[in-house]
Amino acid sequence: MNENVLEVRNLKVRFGKKVALGDIHVQFRKGESVVIAGSNGAGKSTLLRCLAGVIHPDKGQILYAKDVPREKIAFISDGLSLFENMTLKQGLDFHLRTFHIQDPDESFFQQLKFSLNQRIKSLSVGERTLYHLSLLLSQKPAVLLIDEIIHAVDPYLREKFLEAVIEAIDKYGTTMITINHTFSEIQNIPERVLIMEGGRFILDEKSEQLKAKIKKVVTDADIPSGIPFVFKKEAAFGKEYFIYPFQDDFRRKYPHDFQSLELGEIIKALIGGEYAKKRMS
Amino acid sequence: MIRFSIDSSSSVPVFQQVIQAIKLEILSGRLKNGDQLPPIRELAKILKLNPNTVAKAYYTLEEEGFIESKRGSGNWVNTKNMKLDSFRRGMLEDEFRLFLDRAFSLGARLEDLKNLMERYAANE
């Protein structure tokens, strides 16, 4: 389980004068599920594109494990570029040929029950996302990179998408790296959270540990200075404070009700905290 | 047969919630010795969990002797050598301790709790 599937060293990417990624170091383990979050422009998509080999970094190395050839790296971008005029069957054949996939798993493709003779352009955005996913799962991916695309998928298809990803993780031990910030249904999947800001990682934690470290307090008054918080928000009943790092003895020291949060709310608070910092500076 | 759901905002880790829920199914008798548990992939899909989380829960349940894993055929409830009564008592005590914590944080006194219990017992 502790084997790395992917290691990134000294990664730097610039677009003109803008530094998109500034010296990224990170490792991903075989079979782990990771969510990368951060505000817009933090560098998430650029990083994912580098991992997928779509962008060549200015500096640094992206090292996949020896047993991970190109065709085992699957990438769903937010662009979903497919050949519109092909039928679904032609698209599948083309995909298998292009990536030299010898022994494809077409089970998910068949589960979709799409008519094979319709053209790709006749699919809705959600259907197209699932179709794209089915092409990628046919190659039994070792690494699955998912950009923010699932936001465009309706709740029913999103569930199908998620079930397919769960199946892939179990069947092939796929490492999933996804970019997301508004998620309710996938929040029990990621085992690790990375938060980016200004082209760097500002947080890298196991989900369970992060949940233990961040709590919410709702109060009318200010909280005592002994309690550190990352973000403060005006709410209907007083102020909401997002406490981080939380320590267990706060419960004994202070009378406040320290509430646990869902991963989605935690990520929202941490990103909000970064915006608040930017406004201050 | 799955009667439980996961509380994503709970401070109890998700794999612990799965363990607790399956133990409850076993201790209450809804799952019996020899019953088959859902495959890891299926339970993960139903609860929208990472299969690794479900696998970790099953593995812990096997270590604790609640279930038996047969390679290739799945996971089965195995309570032949278990003292279910003492586990049941242990679980009741855990729940009771949680309840007491909350009750005392609401400012309840022992007297209040006694009265409450008598009132409820009389109504039953």
Side-chain angles (χ1 to χ4, degrees):
Chain A
M1 264 313 263
N2 284 325
E3 226 174 306
N4 283 340
V5 69
L6 167 60
E7 184 176 354
V8 175
R9 288 186 198 154
N10 292 81
L11 195 68
K12 284 183 188 164
V13 173
R14 276 166 185 275
F15 296 128
K17 276 189 182 164
K18 189 184 180 320
V19 176
L21 295 178
D23 211 16
I24 295 272
H25 293 264
V26 66
Q27 296 171 344
F28 298 99
R29 281 183 300 283
K30 222 163 240 181
E32 82 174 332
S33 302
V34 183
V35 63
I36 302 177
S39 56
N40 291 328
K44 310 181 296 288
S45 288
T46 306
L47 175 61
L48 211 67
R49 287 194 182 122
C50 286
L51 301 184
V54 182
I55 294 179
H56 289 287
D58 297 322
K59 238 185 179 177
Q61 288 169 302
I62 294 165
L63 305 164
Y64 278 95
K66 283 199 189 69
D67 57 344
V68 182
R70 179 66 192 86
E71 67 266 23
K72 293 279 176 196
I73 303 164
F75 175 46
I76 307 189
S77 71
D78 49 3
L80 285 183
S81 45
L82 296 163
F83 290 106
E84 304 271 304
N85 270 325
M86 284 186 181
T87 65
L88 302 198
K89 180 77 179 93
Q90 286 167 337
L92 175 64
D93 292 341
F94 177 78
H95 186 82
L96 298 181
R97 261 200 326 274
T98 310
F99 288 98
H100 308 289
I101 297 158
Q102 302 297 332
D103 176 29
D105 178 356
E106 294 180 24
S107 57
F108 180 60
F109 184 76
Q110 275 142 18
Q111 276 171 43
L112 287 176
K113 299 195 175 73
F114 287 157
S115 136
L116 292 180
N117 292 321
Q118 63 180 318
R119 294 191 191 279
I120 293 173
K121 64 182 170 194
S122 71
L123 299 176
S124 69
V125 177
E127 288 169 334
R128 196 188 279 227
T129 307
L130 260 81
Y131 174 65
H132 195 171
L133 180 68
S134 77
L135 297 183
L136 297 172
L137 294 186
S138 74
Q139 51 197 78
K140 305 174 189 167
V143 179
L144 183 58
L145 307 164
I146 308 174
D147 208 336
E148 276 170 292
I149 187 66
I150 70 167
H151 297 158
V153 179
D154 70 51
Y156 175 76
L157 292 180
R158 214 180 298 166
E159 180 163 321
K160 295 269 161 261
F161 185 98
L162 190 55
E163 287 175 356
V165 170
I166 289 172
E167 187 163 334
I169 293 172
D170 191 48
K171 255 182 168 171
Y172 316 123
T174 303
T175 301
M176 182 188 75
I177 304 173
T178 172
I179 291 180
N180 228 309
H181 30 237
T182 52
F183 51 90
S184 51
E185 49 273 90
I186 81 147
Q187 61 186 338
N188 291 320
I189 309 278
E191 298 158 291
R192 180 176 164 203
V193 177
L194 291 165
I195 298 196
M196 288 186 84
E197 188 54 52
R200 287 167 195 278
F201 289 120
I202 56 166
L203 183 137
D204 180 352
E205 291 255 21
K206 289 270 162 56
S207 307
E208 297 293 3
Q209 280 156 17
L210 188 60
K211 279 167 92 169
K213 272 193 196 169
I214 188 157
K215 305 281 167 190
K216 184 170 85 171
V217 164
V218 185
T219 168
D220 309 329
D222 290 337
I223 51 166
S225 59
I227 307 181
F229 67 92
V230 282
F231 188 48
K232 176 171 88 168
K233 196 166 85 177
E234 300 291 333
F237 303 96
K239 296 177 190 125
E240 291 182 346
Y241 287 90
F242 295 87
I243 312 304
Y244 177 86
F246 171 78
Q247 286 159 16
D248 283 328
D249 64 349
F250 287 177
R251 288 195 203 279
R252 256 172 286 127
K253 279 197 211 155
Y254 305 103
H256 303 78
D257 180 21
F258 294 94
Q259 301 167 22
S260 297
L261 297 167
E262 299 185 345
L263 206 53
E265 292 174 273
I266 289 175
I267 288 172
K268 211 164 36 172
L270 290 170
I271 295 174
E274 286 305 311
Y275 273 112
K277 255 191 243 165
K278 269 188 239 169
R279 278 197 298 274
M280 298 279 278
S281 60
Chain B
M1 64 146 285
I2 297 300
R3 289 159 217 261
F4 61 94
S5 56
I6 297 298
D7 178 1
S8 304
S9 68
S10 167
S11 58
V12 179
V14 173
F15 87 98
Q16 296 277 14
Q17 290 187 44
V18 176
I19 292 171
Q20 288 297 324
I22 292 176
K23 278 187 187 171
L24 192 65
E25 294 292 293
I26 293 172
L27 292 176
S28 67
R30 287 193 289 269
L31 273 177
K32 292 181 182 62
N33 189 31
D35 282 352
Q36 188 173 11
L37 289 169
I40 288 173
R41 191 181 303 167
E42 291 313 311
L43 190 58
K45 279 187 185 179
I46 295 168
L47 298 173
K48 301 289 176 281
L49 299 180
N50 193 312
N52 299 338
T53 307
V54 179
K56 192 170 161 192
Y58 279 16
Y59 181 72
T60 310
L61 284 165
E62 194 188 352
E63 292 263 284
E64 293 181 9
F66 280 87
I67 67 174
E68 191 182 3
S69 150
K70 293 178 193 161
R71 190 153 278 283
S73 82
N75 295 280
W76 309 78
V77 177
N78 177 14
T79 54
K80 279 196 298 276
N81 309 316
M82 284 222 111
K83 295 190 179 81
L84 285 184
D85 280 336
S86 69
F87 270 108
R88 201 172 285 132
R89 211 174 306 123
M91 206 150 161
L92 186 64
E93 273 179 32
D94 288 344
E95 292 290 326
F96 191 61
R97 207 170 300 126
L98 282 177
F99 163 75
L100 282 184
D101 278 350
R102 291 194 66 82
F104 289 137
S105 78
L106 277 170
R109 289 164 306 152
L110 209 52
E111 195 69 9
D112 301 327
L113 297 178
K114 270 186 200 155
N115 289 340
L116 204 62
M117 261 175 64
E118 276 162 18
R119 223 172 71 206
Y120 272 82
N123 282 342
E124 277 294 290

